[in-house]
Amino acid sequence: MKILVPVKRVVDHNVKVRVKSDGSGVDLDNVKMSINPFDEIAVEEAVRLKEAGSASEVVVVSLGGKGCQETLRTALAVGADRAIHIDAEDGVEPLAVSKCLKQVVSREDPELVIMGKQAIDDDCNQTGQMLSALLGWSQGTFASELKLNGDKATVTREIDGGLETLELAMPAVITCDLRLNEPRYASLPNIMKAKRKPMEQIPVSELGVDITPRIQPVKFAAPAPRSGGMKVADVAELVEKLRSEARVL
Amino acid sequence: MRILVIAEQENGSLVETSLNAINAAQKLAASHGSAAIDVLAAGHNTDALAAECAAVAGVDEVIQVDAPQYAASLAENITTLVVELVRTRDYQAVICASTSVGKNISPRIAALLDVAQVSDVTEIIGVGTYIRPIYAGNIMLTCESAEPVQVLTVRPTAFDKADLGGSATVTRLDAGEDAGLSSLLGRELSKSDRPVLSSAPIVVSGGRGMGSGDNYQRLLEPLADKLGAALGASRAAVDAGFVPNDYQVGQTGKIVAPELYLAVGISGAIQHLAGMSDAKVIVAINKDPDAPIFQVADYGLEGDLNELVPELTECLA
Ligand SMILES: Cc1cc2nc3c(=O)[nH]c(=O)nc-3n(C[C@H](O)[C@H](O)[C@H](O)COP(=O)(O)OP(=O)(O)OC[C@H]3O[C@@H](n4cnc5c(N)ncnc54)[C@H](O)[C@@H]3O)c2cc1C
């Protein structure tokens, strides 16, 4: 069984991004970029399935500018077998990405797609569900546990009230939550090996998908600042302030 | 303009956040001049649910669809139903709350309609113009969508609850097919007599600094009892197994905006702040004077939580 894992290159989760001074966008100059943390978990899950003998091949795919190749190498270094870089501008919208991924699915014919539940830059939380819809497949979003048994997948999902377990007909799209696994670090020999793994490049135009943006960003702004920073000396002062100043008790 | 709001149900009753979604629909309608607002009550044995939806002020029509395949809110079944309704009843907007159910189904609806979705809207400026947080709430994006059907998920804490006192008509429509792609095997829901985390007026959250699940319970439960508060946690506390996953507040957990948020032994990572920085008043208890949480806290109390929390609980008596 082949597993396809889409990965996105995003601003590293430790970076506190800023708006450009004219409000026209996000200042990404000299900002550290990394694999989206949820996608890292997706790659790890796919590699574990391969190591357990449930999968035969793990193919990673990323859509965007040249920088994506670095992200794909990261995925290859933790055990993915080969990579596909769909060469496009950065910032393609989730609907268009899911249409491109559908084309990759029809070329590659995987039985399972595992991906992150959301990208930590646009925080959209859409692409997996959209891909599943376009393929007419089942979906198991926000997964914290995944088991495969023949033509079924059992997925435990993190929901608002706790957990729920679904049985999905395969093929399926799974989107990962944080607690699905703890991704490994790539070892130096594996990073070296990853450099020799195959990386196919496909210009996005070859996929025949209209990627024209449907949503226009108008303004980027910092959220209203909080006027925090005040310290109280002890519990008595805290309670007094909460009662008479903040009036929340 | 016609707007469809997807009501969320749990065991046959309306989930509160659906009222926030209806309020968002009312804002959208008002910005357009006027619009009809319909609510989809899909599920199994939905008479009570449909009646609850019909009692919300400002709802014009409740679409009741009743079949076993809608009981578990499975995405594959609900989305084909909604897409059919959009086509036959000509909706120009589909709205649900950005809860785990809403986030699961809405993008699937958008894709089947071939329209882009706007996620987690916190402000509606007009039809097609919205504000939403990106980068864990570090940036607020104003965006415009000219899509013929506006598919939105709305952040419940950013909208009021729609009032009750309506008397909408209820229309029963036939169920669609069971796609047969997925089925619910079971749910493990956290049981609690406390207020619901995402809408509680007071939230007490513990982080890694709690040290253990036992300590979390021993210190924070009595405090939450005194305050009538909901309990929350940082991701680190959930990952360490102190509390279940549904306690997590943050970018990838629950978004809360209570009157009072107490962060105990939480450092204040941006991903945590993303979930609680809209609280009216933030209190932080932390032993590290440089913990970033103090920068957003209205009242910071520096010291060992093992001493300060019992003292605080005592003081509230
Ligand atoms: C993609 C992604 C998504 C994430 N999503 C979320 C999310 O939704 N929610 C979330 O919370 N995090 C999230 N995180 C994790 C986040 O980055 C932080 O790692 C996490 O919030 C830290 O939790 P913490 O503050 O409890 O732990 P720490 O950062 O370890 O802080 C513990 C604090 O406790 C204090 N402390 C320790 N002992 C005591 C004591 N005895 N008395 C008083 N104070 C004490 C310490 O001074 C410290 O400030 C996410 C991370 C990533 C990468």
Side-chain angles (χ1 to χ4, degrees):
Chain A
M1 182 190 67
K2 193 194 275 187
I3 304 179
L4 184 72
V5 184
V7 297
K8 186 177 183 184
R9 177 178 162 86
V10 297
V11 171
D12 186 84
H13 68 90
N14 286 313
V15 174
K16 191 165 192 293
V17 293
R18 273 177 232 283
V19 177
K20 286 184 185 159
S21 52
D22 62 358
S24 66
V26 181
D27 192 352
L28 297 179
D29 284 351
N30 302 316
V31 162
K32 184 180 176 210
M33 303 294 285
S34 298
I35 181 170
N36 180 42
F38 292 96
D39 305 350
E40 194 180 11
I41 295 171
V43 174
E44 175 69 32
E45 193 67 14
V47 169
R48 285 187 193 184
L49 285 168
K50 188 182 168 191
E51 287 166 349
S54 309
S56 51
E57 192 184 23
V58 176
V59 180
V60 286
V61 55
S62 189
L63 187 147
K66 281 275 174 291
C68 291
Q69 295 191 6
E70 196 189 324
T71 311
L72 288 166
R73 291 283 171 212
T74 311
L76 293 172
V78 295
D81 298 296
R82 63 190 168 85
I84 302 170
H85 172 216
I86 303 171
D87 203 350
E89 65 208 76
D90 286 320
V92 177
E93 292 174 1
L95 180 63
V97 172
S98 62
K99 289 179 181 176
C100 292
L101 291 175
K102 184 187 175 200
Q103 295 305 314
V104 176
V105 167
S106 71
R107 289 177 179 214
E108 293 286 336
D109 200 24
E111 263 176 273
L112 192 62
V113 176
I114 309 182
M115 54 205 289
K117 75 164 182 180
Q118 80 190 63
I120 60 163
D121 50 4
D122 61 27
D123 280 334
C124 275
N125 196 331
Q126 297 177 4
T127 309
Q129 296 89 316
M130 287 181 157
L131 175 61
S132 173
L134 296 176
L135 292 166
W137 289 10
S138 60
Q139 74 181 41
T141 55
F142 325 149
S144 63
E145 203 183 327
L146 171 64
K147 284 194 213 114
L148 302 180
N149 23 23
D151 57 354
K152 301 266 189 238
T154 309
V155 184
T156 302
R157 310 179 53 232
E158 298 207 358
I159 59 170
D160 289 343
L163 298 170
E164 79 173 16
T165 305
L166 300 182
E167 187 174 75
L168 305 179
M170 299 267 271
V173 175
I174 307 295
T175 78
C176 308
D177 219 311
L178 294 170
R179 279 170 284 274
L180 183 60
N181 60 52
E182 217 171 294
R184 72 193 71 184
Y185 291 100
S187 66
L188 196 56
N190 283 341
I191 293 172
M192 301 311 289
K193 243 169 57 191
K195 294 193 172 144
R196 294 190 301 274
K197 289 186 178 175
M199 170 127 34
E200 186 186 355
Q201 286 182 60
I202 306 176
V204 70
S205 55
E206 217 176 86
L207 296 177
V209 172
D210 179 6
I211 59 166
T212 317
R214 308 274 191 96
I215 293 179
Q216 306 304 326
V218 182
K219 195 177 115 197
F220 295 79
R226 287 194 69 97
S227 55
M230 211 251 248
K231 286 211 183 146
V232 290
D234 51 30
V235 167
E237 188 188 349
L238 174 63
V239 173
E240 155 64 18
K241 295 265 190 216
L242 290 178
R243 285 211 170 111
S244 56
E245 194 177 83
R247 294 173 184 278
V248 285
L249 290 185
Chain B
M1 178 179 200
R2 272 178 102 104
I3 303 171
L4 182 67
V5 178
I6 302 172
E8 196 178 315
Q9 48 106 10
E10 204 176 89
N11 300 323
S13 12
L14 185 67
V15 174
E16 262 199 337
T17 44
S18 297
L19 296 176
N20 305 96
I22 294 172
N23 178 257
Q26 289 164 339
K27 291 235 161 93
L28 189 68
S31 75
H32 186 259
S34 81
I37 299 173
D38 294 354
V39 174
L40 172 64
H44 191 39
N45 301 327
T46 49
D47 287 348
L49 176 70
E52 275 189 273
C53 294
V56 180
V59 173
D60 293 280
E61 193 175 340
V62 175
I63 313 291
Q64 183 184 2
V65 186
D66 204 297
Q69 65 265 30
Y70 301 123
S73 306
L74 296 171
E76 300 84 347
N77 290 338
I78 298 278
T79 50
T80 45
L81 172 66
V82 173
V83 168
E84 184 61 21
L85 289 174
V86 170
R87 295 214 170 106
T88 53
R89 297 174 58 94
D90 199 24
Y91 291 106
Q92 283 101 54
V94 177
I95 298 181
C96 46
S98 53
T99 55
S100 57
V101 171
K103 290 182 209 169
N104 187 40
I105 62 178
S106 189
R108 206 173 163 102
I109 295 166
L112 294 175
L113 294 171
D114 193 21
V115 297
Q117 168 181 307
V118 184
S119 297
D120 215 15
V121 170
T122 53
E123 200 177 324
I124 292 170
I125 295 174
V127 178
T129 309
Y130 314 103
I131 299 182
R132 59 177 301 261
I134 57 174
Y135 288 95
N138 279 302
I139 292 176
M140 303 305 289
L141 170 67
T142 309
C143 61
E144 280 175 6
S145 156
E147 295 288 28
V149 185
Q150 299 281 313
V151 175
L152 313 177
T153 64
V154 297
R155 181 176 282 201
T157 54
F159 296 90
D160 294 332
K161 288 195 199 327
D163 294 328
L164 299 182
S167 54
T169 44
V170 177
T171 307
R172 250 190 121 106
L173 294 183
D174 288 341
E177 303 243 304
D178 181 356
L181 289 171
S182 59
S183 58
L184 176 68
L185 297 182
R187 286 198 177 125
E188 241 178 82
L189 302 179
S190 301
K191 287 192 188 65
S192 152
D193 298 330
R194 298 182 191 283
V196 179
L197 174 57
S198 45
S199 60
I202 303 183
V203 174
V204 174
S205 276
R208 199 198 310 268
M210 299 312 301
S212 69
D214 283 349
N215 217 34
Y216 179 103
Q217 278 181 6
R218 192 173 59 78
L219 295 176
L220 296 191
E221 288 192 348
L223 177 59
D225 286 342
K226 278 268 167 66
L227 293 167
L231 283 169
S234 70
R235 174 186 170 187
V238 176
D239 285 0
F242 301 174
V243 290
N245 68 285
D246 52 288
Y247 280 47
Q248 183 174 316
V249 171
Q251 179 186 22
T252 54
K254 293 220 170 63
I255 307 292
V256 302
E259 293 287 302
L260 174 60
Y261 187 90
L262 277 109
V264 184
I266 292 177
S267 62
I270 46 177
Q271 293 87 1
H272 188 78
L273 301 183
M276 43 65 84
S277 52
D278 284 333
K280 187 163 156 254
V281 175
I282 297 173
V283 170
I285 299 179
N286 199 303
K287 69 176 180 188
D288 173 9
D290 299 322
I293 190 77
F294 283 132
Q295 290 162 25
V296 299
D298 300 280
Y299 304 106
L301 182 55
E302 206 182 298
D304 186 352
L305 62 90
N306 294 295
E307 289 159 23
L308 295 172
V309 173
E311 207 185 312
L312 176 59
T313 308
E314 189 67 24
C315 214
L316 293 169

